[in-house]
Amino acid sequence: MAKKDTYRETGYPGIKQRISDGKYIVTIDLGRQLRMNKKTGEMEMRQVKTTRYPATLKEAKALIGANNKAKQKSKTTGITNKVPFKRALKEYTEFYKDGWSDSYAGQKQAQAKRMQAYFGSRDVRSISTLDIEEFFKWCREPQQGFPHPLGNNSIQKIRTHLLDLWKYMKKNPAKYGVKENVVIDSDYGDISRFEATILNAEQINYFLEYCVKNEKDYSTFAMLGLPVLTGLRRGELCGIRWRNVDFEKKLIDVEYQRVQISTGSIEKVPKGGKDNGRSREERKQRYAALPDCLAKLLHYIWDQQTDLLDREPEPDEFVFMTKVNLVNNYLPHPGKVSRRFSELQNRMNHVRKKAGLEPIPHVRLHDLRHTFISLCLNGGVNEFQVSANCGHEYDSKGNSTTVATYWHDDGNRDDIIAFIDKTITAKLKIPDMRE
């Protein structure tokens, strides 16, 4: 029997009767809903239908009636002319982009790709707080086109982007029909606060000696030395150029940082600074100490880069460059530095295990910055110098006005340099392989 002969028409739209058992076939239109396109991996609005099988015609007609009533209610609430999310996001971007720096615009663009992939052409008025939270959950898992899941920090930035978008739409209710900011009450998941693990001087000295004795790629000297001996952040470690290193004055000019954007990276001013700032203070540009022990490690890096490039490094070239990056002439990705540091720790602890020693605690790369600050402050170093060295705004209880208003950083890092060189007793001489 052909498929069309398995049921009979009832004379009511959307209702047919199955001949085999006499049950009614009711097709209910649920309207357009968010569904994933399995071919592209993008979330799209699609017409969704479902089928019910009531036993009586009365039940079938009731189902159709209830569905028609729900659709009529949707029409009377005013949700008729749809405003696609993609269009609203584009208009928001066009309105504000002239005030964005290049690096900030790059961040916004990377965030917009994820938001567009998920919400697509969905009507902005149909997006609820729960939808926003589902989007954040989606961001935390690898997706087609987005293989790297996002962490708390990245999702917080996307949340801010969405907050601003909804604020923009609320300013023009006649055009977008948005009455409330659904992002305000959205929860972006459990916040796992990392507790910093601090290394002591003995552990740092061993770590440095291990690198000098065992690591053939001297970029590991910068990956370890710049954060733990001068308190630089990961992005700042990646952003230091040779022109920023003043061996005579024993200072490092922290001018820019390189940060991860999607699968690439951009250069911007240090954390908290304005990319278009007119002064060093506005850009958060600062001087960090260059102790003699770190200077020695940087000289080793300079010499290795000279050998690999068959010339001396140019002033605008970066200090942190792996052998592979130098040979192939491309920059290391900031997002991969933490993984490289973790691998370095594993190699070091493997050596310690073979020597019958307890492993040194596994730390995050950012924990080295915590270690530097803790060592200096616990060692009695001038706290104003430590604060300025690390790019923090010093605010001391009982003396906040004096410090915040009348204290100006003079660039002096002598206390830090003296303390670090006294604390770091590691033998930082590259072994002669010919011996």
Side-chain angles (χ1 to χ4, degrees):
M1 184 182 291
K3 188 174 181 180
K4 64 181 180 180
D5 296 327
T6 62
Y7 58 84
R8 67 171 63 96
E9 298 293 340
T10 64
Y12 295 97
I15 303 177
K16 298 177 182 178
Q17 187 177 26
R18 194 159 56 194
I19 296 175
S20 61
D21 58 6
K23 288 191 175 182
Y24 292 87
I25 305 171
V26 179
T27 302
I28 298 177
D29 186 354
L30 300 177
R32 294 175 63 81
Q33 296 184 8
L34 196 64
R35 291 289 187 271
M36 177 175 284
N37 186 324
K38 294 182 179 179
K39 292 183 179 180
T40 64
E42 293 190 2
M43 303 297 286
E44 298 177 350
M45 292 300 291
R46 291 184 173 184
Q47 201 72 22
V48 178
K49 295 183 179 181
T50 187
T51 305
R52 303 285 177 81
Y53 302 94
T56 67
L57 181 59
K58 183 178 180 181
E59 291 175 323
K61 291 167 67 175
L63 286 172
I64 291 291
N67 186 51
N68 290 338
K69 186 176 181 180
K71 288 195 290 185
Q72 183 63 32
K73 182 178 179 181
S74 176
K75 289 182 180 180
T76 58
T77 57
I79 304 179
T80 52
N81 297 324
K82 296 177 181 177
V83 181
F85 178 88
K86 286 184 176 180
R87 192 183 84 194
L89 183 60
K90 181 180 179 180
E91 291 170 351
Y92 157 81
T93 302
E94 289 295 323
F95 187 82
Y96 286 110
K97 69 177 184 180
D98 290 341
W100 295 343
S101 65
D102 290 341
S103 62
Y104 191 63
Q107 288 185 49
K108 290 281 193 178
Q109 185 178 15
Q111 294 164 5
K113 287 181 179 179
R114 284 187 185 258
M115 294 189 286
Q116 288 175 349
Y118 188 85
F119 293 111
S121 298
R122 185 171 176 183
D123 185 358
V124 293
R125 290 168 293 183
S126 71
I127 298 175
S128 67
T129 299
L130 290 177
D131 294 321
I132 299 294
E133 292 180 355
E134 287 299 319
F135 167 60
F136 294 149
K137 292 178 183 177
W138 182 81
C139 289
R140 291 184 183 276
E141 300 293 335
Q143 306 293 345
Q144 186 174 346
F146 304 96
H148 303 293
L150 298 184
N152 289 334
N153 189 46
S154 297
I155 291 178
Q156 281 180 302
K157 291 178 180 178
I158 287 184
R159 184 176 184 273
T160 300
H161 194 161
L162 288 169
L163 273 169
D164 290 342
L165 170 60
W166 252 261
K167 286 179 184 177
Y168 166 77
M169 291 191 293
K170 278 189 66 180
K171 292 178 181 177
N172 194 346
K175 182 176 184 179
Y176 298 105
V178 171
K179 297 180 180 179
E180 62 176 333
N181 194 328
V182 298
V183 187
I184 291 178
D185 294 325
S186 63
D187 184 2
Y188 50 91
D190 295 332
I191 304 300
S192 301
R193 298 192 66 86
F194 289 100
E195 293 294 332
T197 301
I198 309 300
L199 300 181
N200 58 38
E202 180 183 355
Q203 292 167 333
I204 296 170
N205 280 310
Y206 181 93
F207 207 159
L208 289 167
E209 281 194 10
Y210 162 81
C211 287
V212 170
K213 290 179 180 178
N214 298 279
E215 293 294 313
K216 305 306 178 187
D217 184 343
Y218 295 172
S219 66
T220 56
F221 298 175
M223 184 167 58
L224 173 63
L226 285 170
V228 82
L229 299 179
T230 200
L232 265 60
R233 300 180 177 94
R234 182 182 72 176
E236 295 163 353
L237 150 69
C238 296
I240 296 297
R241 301 175 187 266
W242 284 110
R243 61 177 164 82
N244 299 132
V245 181
D246 192 328
F247 289 103
E248 291 185 5
K249 294 182 179 179
K250 297 185 177 182
L251 293 173
I252 298 174
D253 186 358
V254 186
E255 183 180 12
Y256 290 106
Q257 60 172 330
R258 281 182 51 240
V259 297
Q260 176 179 353
I261 294 294
S262 187
T263 57
S265 63
I266 60 171
E267 191 172 57
K268 57 180 298 185
V269 297
K271 183 176 180 181
K274 297 179 181 178
D275 288 305
N276 57 353
R278 298 181 179 180
S279 65
R280 291 180 61 92
E281 289 74 20
E282 288 182 348
R283 297 191 300 272
K284 293 295 183 183
Q285 190 174 343
R286 67 184 191 278
Y287 290 109
L290 177 58
D292 290 342
C293 52
L294 178 58
K296 192 168 189 175
L297 295 175
L298 295 185
H299 279 302
Y300 288 143
I301 297 171
W302 173 277
D303 292 340
Q304 186 174 73
Q305 289 191 8
T306 300
D307 291 339
L308 292 170
L309 296 170
D310 201 26
R311 61 170 174 79
E312 289 189 343
E314 297 290 339
D316 278 342
E317 291 180 323
F318 291 94
V319 173
F320 178 70
M321 289 285 286
T322 69
K323 281 186 176 182
V324 173
N325 295 128
L326 281 169
V327 171
N328 293 283
N329 192 31
Y330 68 92
L331 297 176
H333 194 289
K336 297 180 180 179
V337 178
S338 295
R339 181 183 55 115
R340 285 198 178 105
F341 178 64
S342 180
E343 292 169 350
L344 172 63
Q345 292 181 87
N346 291 337
R347 294 195 297 271
M348 175 200 60
N349 276 326
H350 181 69
V351 170
R352 285 181 67 88
K353 184 178 180 180
K354 290 176 67 174
L357 300 173
E358 290 290 324
I360 290 177
H362 206 82
V363 298
R364 297 175 302 151
L365 185 63
H366 194 69
D367 287 344
L368 299 182
R369 176 175 164 87
H370 285 264
T371 294
F372 167 80
I373 294 173
S374 297
L375 278 177
C376 288
L377 294 180
N378 291 336
V381 177
N382 183 319
E383 55 190 307
F384 298 144
Q385 284 193 26
V386 177
S387 177
N389 183 93
C390 295
H392 289 155
E393 294 183 2
Y394 186 83
D395 185 8
S396 177
K397 290 183 178 180
N399 201 30
S400 58
T401 303
T402 302
V403 173
T405 306
Y406 298 99
W407 174 63
H408 299 276
D409 177 33
D410 62 2
N412 186 339
R413 303 290 182 267
D414 291 345
D415 285 4
I416 295 175
I417 292 170
F419 173 75
I420 291 295
D421 282 327
K422 178 182 70 175
T423 304
I424 301 304
T425 59
K427 297 178 181 178
L428 302 180
K429 182 179 179 181
I430 301 292
D432 190 342
M433 305 306 293
R434 297 170 297 181
E435 295 180 356

